[in-house]
Amino acid sequence: MGQLNTFPLSYKVQGLRIVIVGGGEEALNKVRLVTKTTAQVVIISRQIEADFSGFAVQVIERAFAPSDLDGAALVFVAEESADAELAKAEARARGIPLNVVDVPAECDFYTPSIVDRAPLTIAISSEGNAPVLARLVRARIEAMLSPGFGKIASLAGSLRQRVEGLIHDGAARRRYYEALVTSPQVEAAVVSSPVAGRYEAEVLLDQHVKQGEAKGVVWLIGAGPGSEDLLTLRAQRLLQEADVIVHDQLVPSVVVDMGRRDAERIDVGKAKGHHSFSQAQINTLIVRLAGQGKKVARLKSGDPMIFGRAGEEISALRKAGIQYQIVPGISAALAAAADTATPVTLRKVSSGFIMATAHGADDSDLAHWASLAQSGLTLALYMGKSIASEVAAQLVAHGASPATPVGIVVNAGRSNVSTYSGNLRSLIECQVTFSLGPAIIFVGEAVEAGDWADAAQLAGMSFKVA
Ligand code: SAH
């Protein structure tokens, strides 16, 4: 996501004046927009040409005077004239935010396109770059939100104190509001009359109070390899619902940021060598949070069931009688296969695909290395970057041919992906320094069918690309 040069905010204009200098069509356009507010709108120009009669505005046909800006919250300049220049200078001198129609360089602020379901307002801005696009987006949102939405928002506002008095837990309160704004009964009622709306809202409130503090839940969510758009829609939805997000270090902040803005975020960062939380502590943490009635998103990189310690967390949740749900994610090996167009299963070449840990590179786990070396299948080795040469040596020692193709993908599924190609022998001999980031090591004949043309070559070995 790029950075904003402007900051969207809701600016109080109640009881203040909005001054528009100009009397033509452009002034009229601004009038349409600002008369949605309760501010006093004043139009000043020597030449009033447009018809402002349909709007609650004060039209003054005369030269601009600096005192016109007394009590002004915002100033729009919508004509080119000596008066306009005077108004601009005066607004700047007084520090009143200024908008000069169609001259972005002179503007302190831009006016967004507005979807008006007062008090609910959605403002769409392109920082003055593409008003047409902003209007298109606005039309789509208009179509999405029923006209009753504003009334529901007012209703929610009027219930606030009562709800706070009856439901003390913040998460439970939010669940009530969620139910309120999505209830078809409430919407139908509120559109017909405020009293009917209030009645339906009370019925719903009663149900929620009776339900008591709802029980918490833990979602074990796969965050994918590290790009927002490789997240599943379900993961995205649950992240929006979660009260707490408990995430690993490997989950990049762009994904963690997709959660609700006010959700609590806990980094249990298990970066290599910095065990800030032990697995046992994480188990205890998620059980405790859910026990408090919270919705917990336990966010893990890739897929939670693959080298994600999900087994331990699930068994702790079962023991504590806490509800849980698993949301699959794109595992790093699959992202790596996609990045390099490597078909990990390939007719007549590889009849299967093994996801395995590269740890246990010491001799202790003979069966592990023997079965991998002799499988004849494509291997995707996790957690092996820092011991890549030892891994290759183990495979060769257990019977794999030194000529077996190898492909390594660092930062799979991310914009900063980098790749390396060679074979087991070259991996044993190479002195390559891999780029920073997690890596998948592919081993097997099918690797050669991938597109490794851009890969750095390990000790001068590379694949021929068909
Ligand atoms: N559950 C994760 C794996 C976690 S174990 C998954 O399904 O992908 C951590 C290992 O995953 C890392 O050591 C690395 O081998 C691999 N990994 C995670 N993200 C990666 C990425 N974006 N690119 C390459 N490998 C990655």
Side-chain angles (χ1 to χ4, degrees):
M1 244 162 280
Q3 283 190 308
L4 297 172
N5 291 318
T6 63
F7 186 75
L9 44 77
S10 295
Y11 189 66
K12 265 194 194 165
V13 294
Q14 185 181 27
L16 298 171
R17 284 149 56 96
I18 295 179
V19 177
I20 301 176
V21 177
E25 276 308 306
E26 284 172 345
L28 185 61
N29 283 337
K30 293 301 174 194
V31 164
R32 284 200 188 93
L33 194 67
V34 298
T35 48
K36 289 177 190 292
T37 70
T38 55
Q40 187 196 347
V41 179
V42 184
I43 293 150
I44 302 164
S45 178
R46 292 181 207 240
Q47 282 175 311
I48 301 293
E49 285 155 355
D51 176 11
F52 297 98
S53 59
F55 297 94
V57 293
Q58 186 189 353
V59 180
I60 306 175
E61 191 158 17
R62 61 152 166 77
F64 171 84
S67 63
D68 288 334
L69 297 193
D70 292 351
L74 297 172
V75 177
F76 290 90
V77 170
E79 68 177 26
E80 286 172 28
S81 63
D83 279 3
E85 293 310 314
L86 187 61
K88 286 184 208 173
E90 186 63 23
R92 288 190 184 116
R94 295 184 180 213
I96 304 172
L98 170 70
N99 177 287
V100 182
V101 175
D102 286 340
V103 193
E106 290 195 90
C107 288
D108 298 321
F109 68 94
Y110 307 119
T111 49
S113 287
I114 291 175
V115 180
D116 176 10
R117 297 287 186 278
L120 181 85
T121 329
I122 300 169
I124 303 137
S125 160
S126 62
E127 295 198 339
N129 291 312
V132 176
L133 180 70
R135 279 199 289 276
L136 196 82
V137 172
R138 178 190 148 190
R140 295 205 185 157
I141 297 177
E142 285 279 5
M144 252 168 61
L145 298 181
S146 76
F149 235 80
K151 292 182 176 155
I152 297 181
S154 302
L155 179 62
S158 72
L159 279 165
R160 231 188 147 102
Q161 277 199 331
R162 233 177 101 60
V163 175
E164 273 176 27
L166 287 169
I167 308 177
H168 303 289
D169 176 61
R173 218 156 39 222
R174 209 178 42 254
R175 276 193 292 279
Y176 169 69
Y177 285 123
E178 275 166 16
L180 179 73
V181 299
T182 53
S183 154
Q185 287 92 327
V186 172
E187 186 183 337
V190 84
V191 170
S192 71
S193 87
V195 180
R198 175 81 188 210
Y199 175 79
E200 289 296 336
E202 291 283 352
V203 171
L204 196 65
L205 182 57
D206 210 38
Q207 287 168 4
H208 275 250
V209 173
K210 284 203 187 103
Q211 252 171 32
E213 317 286 74
K215 282 199 91 182
V217 59
V218 175
W219 299 305
L220 267 73
I221 300 177
S227 298
E228 305 110 291
D229 58 351
L230 287 178
L231 208 66
T232 63
L233 295 175
R234 187 178 299 173
Q236 195 186 355
R237 178 170 60 77
L238 294 178
L239 275 178
Q240 283 290 323
E241 269 184 51
D243 304 308
V244 193
I245 300 171
V246 179
H247 63 93
D248 292 340
Q249 192 133 69
L250 258 185
V251 180
S253 55
V254 282
V255 176
V256 180
D257 286 349
M258 292 177 78
R260 243 190 32 239
R261 200 168 44 150
D262 57 340
E264 187 186 346
R265 285 165 171 78
I266 303 175
D267 180 357
V268 291
K270 292 194 294 177
K272 230 164 154 261
H274 301 273
H275 285 250
S276 52
F277 277 68
S278 70
Q279 187 58 48
Q281 284 171 323
I282 296 173
N283 299 348
T284 312
L285 176 71
I286 57 176
V287 166
R288 177 167 57 78
L289 291 169
Q292 295 165 351
K294 291 184 176 148
K295 296 182 192 170
V296 182
R298 173 74 180 101
L299 195 57
K300 292 166 178 289
S301 80
D303 182 276
M305 308 306 255
I306 296 170
F307 302 121
R309 309 286 294 260
E312 285 134 285
E313 293 177 23
I314 291 168
S315 101
L317 294 168
R318 279 191 193 134
K319 248 189 232 144
I322 297 210
Q323 269 193 55
Y324 61 88
Q325 188 193 336
I326 321 289
V327 181
I330 296 177
S331 193
L334 303 178
D339 283 340
T340 55
T342 300
V344 289
T345 67
L346 188 59
R347 266 168 68 82
K348 303 208 171 91
V349 177
S350 173
S351 62
F353 162 51
I354 299 179
M355 293 156 142
T357 170
H359 270 279
D362 53 46
D363 287 326
S364 64
D365 204 347
L366 289 179
H368 177 74
W369 293 110
S371 60
L372 291 184
Q374 287 156 33
S375 69
L377 305 179
T378 309
L379 310 178
L381 301 171
Y382 287 70
M383 298 171 281
K385 199 173 83 168
S386 60
I387 47 166
S389 293
E390 290 96 307
V391 168
Q394 284 289 357
L395 290 170
V396 171
H398 287 86
S401 157
T404 313
V406 168
I408 298 174
V409 184
V410 182
N411 291 313
R414 303 178 181 177
S415 54
N416 60 342
V417 58
S418 53
T419 56
Y420 304 80
S421 67
N423 59 24
L424 285 176
R425 183 187 309 111
S426 65
L427 184 55
I428 295 171
E429 288 165 3
C430 77
Q431 298 288 325
V432 65
T433 313
F434 296 108
S435 13
L436 210 66
I440 289 292
I441 304 175
F442 283 128
V443 181
E445 299 301 330
V447 175
E448 241 176 333
D451 179 1
W452 299 84
D454 296 334
Q457 296 170 17
L458 300 171
M461 304 296 297
S462 71
F463 311 137
K464 33 185 189 333
V465 177

